[in-house]
Amino acid sequence: MMTFFYISAAVALISSVLAISRSNAVHALLYTIVSLLSVALIFFMLGAPFAAALEVVIYAGAIMVLFVFVIMMISSGPGSTEQERRWMNFRLWIGPSVFSAVLIMELFAVMSLPHEPMSAKPVIESKQVGIALMGPYMLGVELSSLLLTAGLVGAYHLGKRKDDASQTEDVTPHD
Amino acid sequence: MTSVPAEYGLILAALLFGIGLAGVLARRNIIFILLSIEIMLNAAGLAFISAGSKWGQADGQVMFIFILVMAAAEVSVGLAIVLQLFHRIRTVNSDEANTMRG
């Protein structure tokens, strides 16, 4: 188990360093997704399968899709098709693919290990997490629903394009 | 089969947090800064999961879910601000956005 932990930790650290040091935003995004996947595998090894699933579904799925949308909206222009052709280059996604292949092989290896409940760490199932969420943490759940509503309204308000209202206001002198 | 000690998870969380902090401090592209913040929040979640796994309690995963909710709200508002900023000053360099109106 320790070997698997070391491999995932190495993949997480290397891909995080690569993610913050790339010059292209899409490459950084790919390496960030690999980093999140390796941390999800570490969650699985630490006995938190529900958190691992949430990490893959929400972090590596939903939040990274938001980043992809914004990068697409920002970099759309006359050179975007040529840029897309460059992104399809094989060398660009070979690094994240190799890391992801390492992670998926490791996942299969960890899942095929014989389960020994005496020596292994106790697995905290999603049922216990749900009971804790709906019991002593009820106020936190309500507060996070409020936070998500505020985030939704705020993102809608900020993302709304004010049609030339701000530009004309800037052009006209105030005094 | 020996299980992973919680201290190793905490050390990895600290290292990932340091990498994210270095990214926030070093990069000037706002999208990279948001990505680094995601790495830092993820490291915080890893610390909570490690601690919860050490004590065998579900509270660590509960706190991880709260961090997840907070990260989702933060990144949606942050990316909306990035889009608005890009429409105004046509760049994502955070050093360019150093003027205030008024």
Side-chain angles (χ1 to χ4, degrees), chain A residues 19-62:
Chain A
I20 67 162
S21 61
R22 295 298 96 181
S23 57
N24 193 325
V26 175
H27 304 170
L29 213 55
L30 286 175
Y31 280 115
T32 314
I33 289 174
V34 173
S35 164
L36 295 176
L37 290 180
S38 54
V39 173
L41 197 52
I42 290 172
F43 286 171
F44 189 75
M45 280 183 255
L46 283 171
F50 182 58
L54 277 184
E55 173 100 4
V56 173
V57 171
I58 297 183
Y59 254 119

Side-chain angles (χ1 to χ4, degrees), chain A residues 4-23:
Chain A
F4 296 127
F5 175 79
Y6 285 137
I7 294 173
S8 326
V11 170
L13 290 174
I14 294 171
S15 56
S16 299
V17 169
L18 286 174
I20 67 162
S21 61
R22 295 298 96 181
S23 57

Side-chain angles (χ1 to χ4, degrees), chain A residues 20 22 55 121 137 158, chain B residues 2 4 27 42 53 59 84:
Chain A
I20 67 162
R22 295 298 96 181
E55 173 100 4
K121 224 173 254 300
Y137 287 101
L158 285 170
Chain B
T2 59
V4 180
R27 299 307 296 255
N42 195 36
S53 153
D59 304 64
Q84 197 72 19

